[in-house]
Amino acid sequence: YLFNFKTPAGDYLSCPFQVVFEQKRLRGMFWKDKVCADFMSGFGWLLNETHVVSLSVDDLFVSGTAQLKADTESLAQVVAQMKSGYRSIKSIEVLGHLDEGVAVDASWSLSLAQANAIKSYLAAQGFDERVIVAQGMSSSKPVLSCYGLTAAALTNCRSTNRRIEVMVNGDF
């Protein structure tokens, strides 16, 4: 599919969107271009009342682990925004996403362990643990399709798919 979006500057952004089927089952949906994925991420408020923040796994965790790095400035910024932006928080969903370069069994457990590490971090920052849910998504919901890419392009694509999504639902 090809979508043409009018940007705030008045020009148009053409965004290819791929829907992948495998044996009559939906395998995934992807923006083929990171620019388009980034552009569309800014419109989440139009679709639902939940605010979604996407953070790079590479920035948060020691490679291949669920151990948070000592300097997690991006996570600290999200916490500060959550504390100042909401009067009350109804729910927080933390989703761990990895890329297809990790073995399937290991990917499910690592993505869950990373989501749980963020859940524990948020609870330690004073958020009610009862409203926080953590889920590991493995590589089931990539932002970009990395099919057919090689070398540096493949590395960059996979890096984009390795992320933690924090979805906050609350009263402003």
Side-chain angles (χ1 to χ4, degrees):
Y1 298 96
L2 182 64
F3 294 90
N4 292 303
F5 299 106
K6 190 170 185 178
T7 67
D11 53 342
Y12 286 88
L13 177 65
S14 293
C15 293
F17 187 76
Q18 181 178 5
V19 180
V20 179
F21 290 91
E22 190 173 281
Q23 298 179 358
K24 298 183 181 181
R25 288 191 168 174
L26 179 65
R27 181 174 172 257
M29 298 181 291
F30 315 92
W31 290 106
K32 295 285 289 180
D33 185 352
K34 184 176 179 347
V35 172
C36 294
D38 290 344
F39 178 78
M40 291 306 297
S41 71
F43 292 95
W45 58 271
L46 290 173
L47 304 175
N48 58 53
E49 63 183 38
T50 302
H51 183 127
V52 180
V53 178
S54 186
L55 302 166
S56 168
V57 162
D58 298 345
D59 292 343
L60 295 174
F61 296 99
V62 174
S63 182
T65 74
Q67 178 185 342
L68 283 169
K69 290 181 177 178
D71 178 23
T72 56
E73 183 179 328
S74 59
L75 186 55
Q77 289 174 352
V78 168
V79 168
Q81 290 172 350
M82 289 168 59
K83 286 185 173 183
S84 66
Y86 291 91
R87 285 183 289 132
S88 67
I89 293 178
K90 298 175 186 174
S91 66
I92 301 172
E93 188 172 5
V94 181
L95 302 177
H97 297 272
L98 294 176
D99 64 72
E100 69 280 356
V102 180
V104 174
D105 290 343
S107 180
W108 284 105
S109 60
L110 180 56
S111 64
L112 176 59
Q114 290 175 342
N116 277 322
I118 300 299
K119 176 182 177 177
S120 296
Y121 179 90
L122 293 173
Q125 300 302 311
F127 294 96
D128 185 351
E129 192 169 5
R130 296 172 296 180
V131 301
I132 307 172
V133 175
Q135 291 183 358
M137 304 303 290
S138 181
S139 60
S140 66
K141 301 219 182 239
V143 174
L144 298 173
S145 172
C146 301
Y147 181 77
L149 299 177
T150 58
L154 179 61
T155 300
N156 290 336
C157 183
R158 285 182 171 174
S159 176
T160 300
N161 290 332
R162 290 189 301 270
R163 67 198 185 282
I164 294 289
E165 290 179 326
V166 180
M167 296 183 275
V168 183
N169 184 315
D171 297 322
F172 289 98

